[in-house]
Amino acid sequence: MKDKVVVCAYHNVGYRCLEELLRQGADVRLVFSHEDSPGEQIWFQSVCGLAARHGIPCLTSSINAPENREILAELSPDFLLSFYYRNMITPEVLSLAGRGALNMHGSYLPKYRGRVPVNWAVIKGETSTGVTLHYMVEKPDAGEIVDQERVEIAFEDTAFDVFNKVTEAAVEVLRRSWPQLIEGSAPRIPMDLKAGNYCGGRRPEDGRIDWNLSAVEIYNLVRGVTHPYPGAFTTLAGQKLLVWQAFPVEGTGGPGRVVSTQPLLVGTGSGLLEIRRLQFEGKTELCAADFVAATPCHGALFT
């Protein structure tokens, strides 16, 4: 008899990992996912849609809800697998998986435990990150490691670019690890939490640009939160101005001061930031040349 599997999944990582489990013939009995938020740009594939096409029930209420704990207790799954599921799963629920509860995390643990690890890795200027399959325990992203895969972060990569790389790495890790988990031969490597770090979630308002930072640091913020994320922003003449694409260049200028409009260069704490695409909130996104033509700003101060 096959091991019974319950999957908690959302987003592209959730979709692709569920797809890989089904490709390998896993007996997925139940899926937990999320309702799409009306305030979020939905650019990713639907886990619920995939489950429906395979005749698998999909619930969007929290797996921790009492009625869902009862369903799980009756089902008595062998494995509980979490792929980009956004709720912390309680120890009471984790204990219902007879052979283990595992999570696929979007970083090379123990670095960047916690929320939005891909965005944080880009914002912090990392040159690599990865994906980690690990056992779930009460503390987030802290259980024993089964398998990991590194991915490169190129200097030009946006968080979206890196997320796509991480998604492919997650599928590769699951492709390798699932047969081992079924056989009972998968590694269980203790995680050294002191060798890593924990990061909290990010809110749209965390995208405000501090022009006293270096041009490279601001560039990392811009590419870490650009489309499809909420974007980095500053203020010009009292209006919120979103910066979607930029690049650091050599030069000097007062922090936030526009020192050139051809190209559009802004001073920072160290170096200049060339802004390439931007928009006033609620207006059309423009390339820098079109923006400058519509909004003369030489010598203006971004705050």
Side-chain angles (χ1 to χ4, degrees), residues 3-184:
D3 288 293
K4 294 177 289 185
V5 182
V6 170
V7 173
C8 301
Y10 192 59
H11 222 283
N12 282 350
V13 169
Y15 184 100
R16 292 290 306 283
C17 286
L18 175 58
E19 190 176 52
E20 175 61 21
L21 281 177
L22 295 172
R23 188 192 69 79
Q24 292 199 36
D27 183 12
V28 180
R29 298 289 186 91
L30 180 61
V31 171
F32 287 91
S33 192
H34 302 288
E35 295 287 347
D36 294 333
S37 170
E40 184 174 0
Q41 183 180 349
I42 306 303
W43 51 271
F44 41 85
Q45 294 170 295
S46 169
V47 167
C48 286
L50 177 60
R53 290 194 293 277
H54 287 267
I56 303 168
C58 184
L59 302 176
T60 55
S61 52
S62 171
I63 191 173
N64 300 314
E67 62 272 21
N68 289 333
R69 288 203 305 270
E70 291 179 13
I71 291 171
L72 288 169
E74 185 175 346
L75 179 59
S76 188
D78 296 287
F79 288 99
L80 173 63
L81 303 175
S82 175
F83 307 126
Y84 217 82
Y85 189 66
R86 291 180 171 179
N87 295 341
M88 283 290 296
I89 302 174
T90 65
E92 292 77 15
V93 171
L94 297 178
S95 69
L96 296 174
R99 297 190 64 190
L102 297 99
N103 175 58
M104 187 75 74
H105 185 71
S107 78
Y108 202 84
L109 290 174
K111 294 192 72 174
Y112 295 101
R113 296 170 50 240
R115 301 288 186 179
V116 294
V118 169
N119 302 80
W120 275 118
V122 175
I123 291 167
K124 294 297 185 181
E126 300 287 355
T127 57
S128 70
T129 185
V131 66
T132 305
L133 182 64
H134 66 96
Y135 282 89
M136 286 187 280
V137 293
E138 184 172 5
K139 184 186 276 293
D141 309 318
E144 295 165 310
I145 293 171
V146 172
D147 195 5
Q148 297 179 286
E149 181 88 3
R150 282 196 185 275
V151 301
E152 176 192 2
I153 302 177
F155 189 66
E156 297 81 10
D157 279 345
T158 67
F160 179 71
D161 296 326
V162 179
F163 186 83
N164 288 337
K165 294 179 184 180
V166 164
T167 301
E168 296 304 319
V171 175
E172 180 58 33
V173 165
L174 191 60
R175 184 176 295 129
R176 291 195 300 252
S177 300
W178 184 242
Q180 295 178 320
L181 288 165
I182 294 296
E183 294 166 3

Side-chain angles (χ1 to χ4, degrees), residues 230 233-234 239-242 244 278-284:
F233 67 93
T234 187
Q239 295 186 73
K240 184 176 180 179
L241 184 65
L242 291 150
W244 295 113
L278 66 170
Q279 74 179 106
F280 281 118
E281 187 174 39
K283 304 295 184 181
T284 302

